[in-house]
Amino acid sequence: MSMSFRPMAGFQTFNIGSNGPEDILALNDGSLVTGNDTGQILRIEPDLETVGVIAQIGGRGLGLDLLPDGRLVVCNAMLGLQAVDMATGEVELLVGTIDGEPLKFCNNAAVAKDGTIYFSSSTTRHGIEGSTKDIVEGRKTGRLFRRNPDGSVDTVLADISFANGVALSPAEDFVLVNSTGEYGIHRVWLTGDKAGQNDMFATNLPGFPDNLSVGSDGLVWCALVTPVTPALKQIERLPGWLRFILAKLPEPKSTQPAQAAYCAAFDWDGTMVHGLEDTSGAFSFTTCAREHKGRVYLGSLHGSNIAYFEL
């Protein structure tokens, strides 16, 4: 990706037996939780071989986090924000519509200590099957929402070019949300003198950012789907009408994701601490990077593998 990216040490992959582990949650007992494209939520035991079904949520599960009551928060791309009891498999719909409009593409979430859920809606115009169209067309219909403990929902930030990963600072004084289409990370201040203001936490990332997560190392980890190439940058310079037509055409080879894995980690002041890559071709289209006790797990929207490496 760039000279500053170093190889992922001890890079491994393992097959989960179903397609599309887009986000991964690491639990305290060493097991992993992920979703697949058939609407199942899966638990992978610490041996990384035994896979069981926790729940069937319908739709397509993407971003995952934990609620204070121990339930799983699931961003269901097709149905909205859900809570899943991991012991019983019971599923509760927390947010299905906002202002009477269905949530078209619920993507990633971060939960505050009081149970407030910050979650992204990538686009108001397309479902997951048309996920890149807003980016190609240069539309900014992504939003960051907050679901309060009383069930009410507020808009935290609007007009985002494909709103994606979400993370809360350790002090919960600001929230981050990725803009995949602008390869940057927005920051919205929640408390203090700047409360309600927003700025950029990171800009000109070398790749398109997907999910965000806070590692056990205290850093904020960012999955990078693919490098920002000259061909992809050229699309930005085209007039809107031409971008609209391009969005309807099959993707040319020059703009397809690289057959490689990338991720980065940041300090809370926006400094990039780690830039890591695996160019073996064993794993690609990285949508999740989740650090847990010195190991980083990678998820992908495509394929049946989860990858990991040691820091």
Side-chain angles (χ1 to χ4, degrees), residues 228-245:
V228 181
T229 61
L232 289 162
K233 279 198 173 246
Q234 279 173 347
I235 292 172
E236 291 178 15
R237 301 189 191 105
L238 299 173
W241 64 269
L242 192 51
R243 291 177 71 158
F244 183 76
I245 292 168

Side-chain angles (χ1 to χ4, degrees), residues 170 214-220 266-268 291:
V214 181
S216 62
D217 56 6
L219 300 177
V220 59
F266 298 86
D267 234 324
W268 290 98
E291 187 275 341

Side-chain angles (χ1 to χ4, degrees), residues 34-52:
T34 190
N36 65 20
D37 65 1
T38 67
Q40 291 175 325
I41 299 297
L42 308 172
R43 184 197 299 271
I44 302 155
E45 298 304 330
D47 62 11
L48 304 184
E49 291 177 4
T50 313
V51 181

Side-chain angles (χ1 to χ4, degrees), residues 16-270:
I16 66 163
S18 58
N19 191 61
E22 195 270 350
D23 198 17
I24 300 159
L25 200 59
L27 303 181
N28 288 332
D29 65 0
S31 61
L32 306 176
V33 177
T34 190
N36 65 20
D37 65 1
T38 67
Q40 291 175 325
I41 299 297
L42 308 172
R43 184 197 299 271
I44 302 155
E45 298 304 330
D47 62 11
L48 304 184
E49 291 177 4
T50 313
V51 181
V53 179
I54 293 173
Q56 169 58 250
I57 59 166
R60 175 61 161 107
L62 299 178
L64 305 170
D65 203 358
L66 286 175
L67 283 166
D69 65 11
R71 288 187 300 168
L72 193 67
V73 165
V74 181
C75 293
N76 189 320
M78 298 174 179
L79 301 178
L81 194 69
Q82 297 173 315
V84 175
D85 186 316
M86 289 194 280
T88 66
E90 190 180 334
V91 182
E92 180 190 354
L93 182 64
L94 300 177
V95 183
T97 60
I98 292 175
D99 298 330
E101 291 290 314
L103 259 179
K104 278 222 173 104
F105 200 145
C106 187
N107 196 323
N108 203 229
V111 180
K113 292 180 187 75
D114 68 353
T116 300
I117 306 167
Y118 294 86
F119 64 100
S120 60
S121 164
S122 295
T123 163
T124 59
R125 301 170 61 244
H126 304 289
I128 191 167
E129 68 292 337
S131 60
T132 58
K133 287 182 178 174
D134 259 22
I135 296 173
V136 176
E137 292 173 16
R139 303 287 190 100
K140 296 183 181 182
T141 68
R143 293 168 294 173
L144 175 67
F145 293 110
R146 170 175 48 212
R147 182 192 185 270
N148 302 299
D150 64 5
S152 62
V153 177
D154 313 315
T155 302
V156 178
L157 190 65
D159 305 320
I160 304 167
S161 176
F162 204 84
N164 207 325
V166 181
L168 260 176
S169 68
E172 299 188 355
D173 55 341
F174 61 83
V175 60
L176 303 178
V177 59
N178 281 342
S179 171
T180 302
E182 293 180 300
Y183 29 95
I185 305 175
H186 294 275
R187 171 172 49 195
V188 184
W189 294 91
L190 302 172
T191 61
D193 297 343
K194 297 182 185 173
Q197 296 178 35
N198 68 85
D199 54 21
M200 294 306 291
F201 177 80
T203 57
N204 292 315
L205 294 175
F208 289 93
D210 206 293
N211 290 350
L212 288 175
S213 67
V214 181
S216 62
D217 56 6
L219 300 177
V220 59
W221 283 84
C222 180
L224 299 169
V225 171
T226 193
V228 181
T229 61
L232 289 162
K233 279 198 173 246
Q234 279 173 347
I235 292 172
E236 291 178 15
R237 301 189 191 105
L238 299 173
W241 64 269
L242 192 51
R243 291 177 71 158
F244 183 76
I245 292 168
L246 262 185
K248 295 189 171 350
L249 300 175
E251 209 175 336
K253 264 209 158 48
S254 60
T255 63
Q256 284 174 0
Q259 289 299 302
Y262 305 99
C263 68
F266 298 86
D267 234 324
W268 290 98
D269 63 1

